[in-house]
Amino acid sequence: MRSKCLISIIAIVIVLTGCTRPEEAPVLKRVTNVEVTKVTGKEALLNADAIFFNPNRVSMKLRKVEVDVELEGKKIGQIEHSMKTKIPANAEFTVPLDATFNMKEVGLLKSVLSMLGGKKMKVHYRGFIKVTVHGLPIKVPVDYEDEVRL
């Protein structure tokens, strides 16, 4: 009876020490491929790729993306994705940031002129991604701003 209890305690200690949090959270390196890909009526589709780096020796799973998109200081949309994507250890990984926005919110004339003229505009991504390591959730902040030619 006593040996069963001792084995159970050792097993619990091994499991708990194996489920440690990662040394560092993934890091947002850059946002690339920002472009308006589709304009229909009053809506436009803004696509981008967020490049993160996982500096840890353990792989993770990307579970959720919640990012607000601002154009010239105005919130134009929100990106919400739930997924189960594997993130490799010590490697970069890409998270798609696709948002549909109403051009009326930004100003229809300003939007059309900037898209036709290729004007540079400030795009700000703010929110978080949620990853899990051995089942433990970690929120990774996203706060990235860039001037892009739409």
Side-chain angles (χ1 to χ4, degrees), residues 38-139:
K38 188 176 183 182
V39 178
T40 56
K42 295 179 182 177
E43 290 190 338
L45 182 61
L46 180 70
N47 299 103
D49 293 321
I51 310 298
F52 286 85
F53 178 71
N54 177 10
N56 299 289
R57 294 179 288 157
V58 296
S59 63
M60 303 177 178
K61 285 198 174 157
L62 175 62
R63 295 292 187 178
K64 191 173 195 176
V65 177
E66 280 192 29
V67 177
D68 291 333
V69 181
E70 296 176 4
L71 188 63
E72 294 292 320
K74 292 183 181 178
K75 182 178 173 183
I76 60 167
Q78 184 173 23
I79 301 161
E80 289 188 45
H81 298 295
S82 292
M83 55 189 75
K84 293 181 181 179
T85 305
K86 187 173 180 181
I87 300 170
N90 291 315
E92 285 188 350
F93 62 99
T94 303
V95 176
L97 300 177
D98 303 328
T100 301
F101 66 93
N102 187 336
M103 290 192 298
K104 188 175 181 182
E105 294 289 324
V106 181
L108 182 61
L109 183 60
K110 183 178 180 181
S111 298
V112 171
L113 290 176
S114 66
M115 284 182 228
L116 292 175
K119 178 183 173 188
K120 281 193 169 187
M121 300 181 84
K122 284 187 183 178
V123 178
H124 193 153
Y125 300 93
R126 187 186 338 243
F128 68 90
I129 65 167
K130 188 182 281 186
V131 299
T132 57
V133 180
H134 302 298
L136 300 173
I138 300 169
K139 273 188 175 180

